[in-house]
Amino acid sequence: MILVAVRRLALAGLLVSGAKLAAQSPFQFPTANHALFEPGKELQFFAPTAPDRSWTTGSFGCVRTDGWQMHEGLDIRSLQHDRRGEPTDPVMATADGTVMYFSTKASLSNYGKYIVIRHVVDGVEIYSLYAHLSEIAPGLAPGKTVRAGEVIATMGRTSNTSERIGQERAHVHFELNVLVNDNFSAWFKKNLPGERNDHGVWNGQNLNGLDPRDILLAERPGAKKFSLLEFLRGQTELCRVLVRATDFPYLKRYPALVLKNPKAEKEGVAGYEIALNYNGVAFALLPRAASEIKGAAKIQLVSVNEAEYHAHPCRKLVVQHGRWQLTDKGLREVGMLIY
Ligand SMILES: [Zn+2]
């Protein structure tokens, strides 16, 4: 009813913002570029890696290096620039939230200057990330609360990669993530000795991306109501692993993803069977009793969804050598989760 009323107002010639019309998703576009809603106009929304490349190279997934490299966000194309050709698009918070981190030292990350904001939607924590910024809004600081649509930065082309971002593909790199582990810094020190971690827990490796395209499309007027929790729970399983670990931060951060198992409740939890999507996002954690666990290994592969592996192989979490097994990358990803 409300939507109908708002539409009538719009027809009456009053200015109604897209955000008001489309209250279906708790997340808004981070810039004024909304061309994602218009089928066939993908090239106006996504910035491909080169002019002769498909728009999909600017989307989320196994879209780089002939499908063998993951791109964990959306590259949303610039709509406006100054006389020198530099992007000037305001970048806005995708939802109400709290600023957790920003980095103004472009040389310290392939994200360049970037911001991380924490949101709680449907009781679920989600972290938005905005990268390659030229300037961060004055007054923004960790701990500051922001409103959806509030300007937090100006689009830019900052990055520390040798391949610069050209003016013609200026974009904001936008991610929506789960946070893997509060103990990331300690894990990093132990597992990657000698390597620098300039961003603590806000290192991109500790933020596991979901496809923001699906989430933003839910904002389209007329789309059915979006539930972040259902979206997370409804991820397609790449594989299932069993871990002999019972106390890791993810369980407390995402209790809504922990399933019920009366047997484990009765006998005591000795581990968790964890469903991972192709990007390594843990989206279902089933407690297991000792009597339900075979094998002594701390991390075991239980099953692989082969169709999903073939559709999205680029994270290389599992490999088939005769039988399926976790790769070193897969073991590392799960090890980081339960550290
Ligand atoms: Zn990107």
Side-chain angles (χ1 to χ4, degrees):
M1 281 306 282
I2 290 167
L3 199 64
V4 171
V6 172
R7 280 209 179 115
R8 275 203 197 115
L9 280 178
L11 285 173
L14 292 170
L15 265 180
V16 176
S17 82
K20 273 185 194 138
L21 256 181
Q24 303 305 308
S25 170
F27 297 96
Q28 300 182 10
F29 284 89
T31 75
N33 190 341
H34 295 190
L36 184 66
F37 286 162
E38 298 166 57
K41 295 204 172 161
E42 287 83 1
L43 265 173
Q44 290 180 26
F45 186 76
F46 296 104
T49 51
D52 58 346
R53 289 294 174 110
S54 155
W55 62 266
T56 56
T57 58
S59 67
F60 176 96
C62 298
V63 297
R64 300 274 168 91
T65 322
D66 298 325
W68 284 99
Q69 196 193 333
M70 183 71 196
H71 181 236
E72 253 186 299
L74 307 181
D75 288 350
I76 304 172
R77 199 187 266 284
S78 164
L79 293 178
Q80 59 183 67
H81 54 80
D82 64 16
R83 284 198 313 209
R84 292 171 302 132
E86 292 300 328
T88 55
D89 309 53
V91 174
M92 297 165 283
T94 186
D96 294 351
T98 307
V99 177
M100 301 309 285
Y101 183 72
F102 66 78
S103 173
T104 52
K105 292 212 174 79
S107 63
L108 291 184
S109 172
N110 53 12
Y111 288 141
K113 296 184 188 179
Y114 72 99
I115 300 176
V116 181
I117 300 178
R118 173 183 183 268
H119 314 275
V120 180
V121 173
D122 299 335
V124 178
E125 277 186 28
I126 196 114
Y127 293 81
S128 60
L129 185 149
Y130 315 76
H132 311 314
L133 307 170
S134 68
E135 247 179 289
I136 288 168
L140 208 77
K144 187 180 184 292
T145 56
V146 289
R147 307 292 297 179
E150 188 174 328
V151 174
I152 53 170
T154 306
M155 191 185 284
R157 301 190 290 126
T158 57
S159 177
N160 71 352
T161 50
S162 54
E163 210 177 311
R164 306 269 313 271
I165 300 166
Q167 284 184 338
E168 73 294 343
R169 67 178 287 255
H171 62 269
V172 65
H173 171 96
F174 174 63
E175 297 184 0
L176 290 174
N177 301 294
V178 295
L179 180 70
V180 181
N181 200 322
D182 302 78
N183 303 325
F184 176 80
S185 299
W187 174 87
F188 188 96
K189 214 169 180 180
K190 189 171 171 200
N191 287 273
L192 300 160
E195 278 191 41
R196 282 181 64 161
N197 176 20
D198 294 295
H199 309 289
V201 291
W202 309 112
N203 185 313
Q205 283 184 56
N206 197 31
L207 296 163
N208 246 345
L210 298 159
D211 190 348
R213 180 181 197 224
D214 299 340
I215 298 173
L216 291 174
L217 276 175
E219 204 191 345
R220 182 168 23 200
K224 91 175 207 295
K225 188 159 168 40
F226 178 79
S227 158
L228 180 63
L229 190 53
E230 274 172 39
F231 178 76
L232 248 178
R233 285 177 173 160
Q235 295 293 301
T236 303
E237 186 173 309
L238 166 73
C239 66
R240 196 174 284 217
V241 295
L242 192 125
V243 297
R244 284 186 173 274
T246 56
D247 183 22
F248 46 97
Y250 201 83
L251 294 167
K252 292 193 186 78
R253 189 176 293 284
Y254 296 104
L257 301 179
V258 178
L259 307 174
K260 292 252 175 275
N261 179 2
K263 195 175 171 72
E265 265 169 47
K266 200 166 144 225
E267 295 177 21
V269 177
Y272 284 85
E273 201 171 298
I274 304 173
L276 302 177
N277 77 1
Y278 78 86
N279 192 31
V281 173
F283 65 93
L285 301 97
L286 178 69
R288 285 296 192 191
S291 63
E292 297 176 305
I293 300 178
K294 288 182 215 131
K298 185 156 189 199
I299 300 171
Q300 305 172 36
L301 182 64
V302 176
S303 60
V304 172
N305 174 355
E306 295 194 25
E308 185 65 1
Y309 173 78
H310 291 299
H312 309 282
C314 68
R315 283 293 306 270
K316 305 183 190 82
L317 300 176
V318 290
V319 67
Q320 192 176 26
H321 287 313
R323 65 187 180 84
W324 284 95
Q325 48 195 274
L326 284 162
T327 59
D328 286 349
K329 277 195 175 138
L331 283 167
R332 206 169 76 165
E333 188 73 31
V334 179
M336 184 173 102
L337 173 69
I338 63 172
Y339 189 78

